[in-house]
């Protein structure tokens, strides 16, 4: 079974530039998560999708971050414009259908390490 | 908002010693999961607890969910160098703890 795929693995941009990250979840996983992990901290949930609908985006800085999952499979996360404090690893994770009640384990991708200079 | 704190933040142990990390939530949790993240890697699922007072074991690892479902612990018996990494709890599938970084000295 293929795991969660993410690209690019590394990205260096200057502040005020734009950047986009791509995630392909495990086949059949309805729930997709985007996390931001700053060095030395735990992952912080940015947005959670159930199929192509947003379940939670309360911690997404909507003035600069946006995410979509148009066909309920792949997802993209965009930052525009980037700030120095956005330097972090952006992790994508997927799990089985959240709405079925029982919590399911999350499978994480390798992450995208973003450096904003 | 809900917060999930873990202590200690760092722990250095000699190989063979035991290790425990504690996870504390500001509110009652419906479930808690534990993940391990190796240096430079991504979080990997270890276990899930849903019942009050639940205890689960995986070889040298023992996981416990508190009676009030506001705290949890992970205990490793006789640590090995392969146990190195950061251990995170995840409450209600939304709130990751602050993590405990474990270093095992051979």
């Amino acid at each position: 079974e293929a795991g969660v795929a993410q690209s690019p693995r590394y990205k260096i941009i200057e502040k005020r530039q734009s950047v986009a990250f791509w995630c392909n979840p495990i086949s059949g996983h309805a729930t997709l998560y985007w996390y931001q992990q700053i060095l030395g901290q735990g992952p912080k949930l940015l947005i959670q999708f159930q199929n192509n609908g947003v379940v939670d985006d309360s911690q997404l800085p909507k003035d600069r971050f946006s995410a979509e999952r148009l066909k309920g499979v792949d997802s993209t996360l965009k930052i525009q414009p980037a700030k120095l404090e956005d330097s972090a690893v952006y992790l994508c994770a997927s799990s089985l259908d959240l709405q079925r009640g029982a919590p399911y384990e999350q499978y994480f991708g390798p992450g995208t390490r973003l450096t904003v200079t | 908002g809900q917060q999930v704190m873990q202590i200690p933040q760092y722990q250095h142990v000699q190989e063979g010693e035991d290790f425990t990390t504690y996870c504390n939530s500001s509110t009652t949790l419906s479930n808690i999961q534990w993940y391990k993240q190796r240096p430079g890697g991504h979080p990997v699922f270890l276990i899930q607890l849903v019942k009050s007072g639940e205890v689960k074991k995986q070889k040298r690892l023992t996981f416990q969910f508190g009676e009030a479902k506001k705290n949890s612990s992970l205990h490793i018996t006789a640590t090995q160098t392969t146990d190195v990494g950061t251990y995170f709890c995840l409450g209600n599938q939304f709130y990751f703890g602050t993590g405990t970084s474990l270093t095992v000295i051979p």
Side-chain angles (χ1 to χ4, degrees):
Chain A
E1 179 182 79
V4 177
Q6 287 188 250
S7 67
R9 293 293 311 276
Y10 305 91
K11 190 74 176 178
I12 301 174
I13 62 172
E14 295 182 350
K15 59 183 179 183
R16 292 187 289 273
Q17 286 187 323
S18 304
V19 65
F21 312 125
W22 173 82
C23 173
N24 182 238
I26 291 173
S27 177
H29 281 192
T31 307
L32 185 146
Y33 312 78
W34 280 104
Y35 291 92
Q36 179 193 60
Q37 186 173 26
I38 293 171
L39 187 64
Q41 298 183 17
K44 171 187 162 186
L45 180 67
L46 295 175
I47 189 166
Q48 178 183 344
F49 291 95
Q50 181 74 18
N51 296 306
N52 60 350
V54 175
V55 174
D56 186 288
D57 63 356
S58 57
Q59 298 192 96
L60 186 73
K62 298 181 185 64
D63 57 334
R64 298 183 302 105
F65 286 65
S66 65
E68 61 183 13
R69 194 184 182 199
L70 292 176
K71 297 183 179 179
V73 181
D74 294 8
S75 177
T76 57
L77 175 70
K78 296 179 181 178
I79 308 175
Q80 181 179 11
K83 293 185 176 181
L84 295 176
E85 59 260 36
D86 298 331
S87 293
V89 175
Y90 290 84
L91 294 162
C92 178
S94 70
S95 70
L96 290 170
D97 192 346
L98 181 67
Q99 291 183 345
R100 293 187 183 180
Y104 290 104
E105 64 182 279
Q106 297 182 28
Y107 294 82
F108 284 81
T112 297
R113 183 175 299 276
L114 174 67
T115 302
V116 182
T117 63
Chain B
Q2 180 161 24
Q3 291 188 350
V4 179
M5 303 299 293
Q6 278 183 257
I7 54 171
Q9 187 175 2
Y10 302 97
Q11 185 79 57
H12 292 72
V13 299
Q14 289 287 141
E15 189 172 16
E17 292 183 336
D18 292 357
F19 160 76
T20 305
T21 173
Y22 301 90
C23 179
N24 297 290
S25 170
S26 57
T27 59
T28 301
L29 300 170
S30 59
N31 63 79
I32 195 160
Q33 298 176 344
W34 284 91
Y35 289 79
K36 175 183 178 181
Q37 186 172 25
R38 294 182 184 273
H42 56 273
V44 175
F45 176 81
L46 294 176
I47 204 88
Q48 176 173 271
L49 305 167
V50 296
K51 298 177 183 177
S52 170
E54 188 171 14
V55 178
K56 287 188 176 181
K57 294 189 177 183
Q58 285 181 351
K59 297 182 180 179
R60 296 179 293 104
L61 278 62
T62 301
F63 303 83
Q64 190 166 6
F65 203 4
E67 293 290 342
K69 300 182 76 173
K70 294 181 72 174
N71 56 72
S72 180
S73 65
L74 158 59
H75 180 82
I76 302 178
T77 303
T79 55
Q80 299 175 359
T81 54
T82 53
D83 296 324
V84 166
T86 301
Y87 293 84
F88 292 100
C89 58
L90 173 63
N92 291 354
Q93 296 167 286
F94 286 100
Y95 307 103
F96 267 98
T98 46
T100 296
S101 176
L102 172 65
T103 299
V104 179
I105 304 163

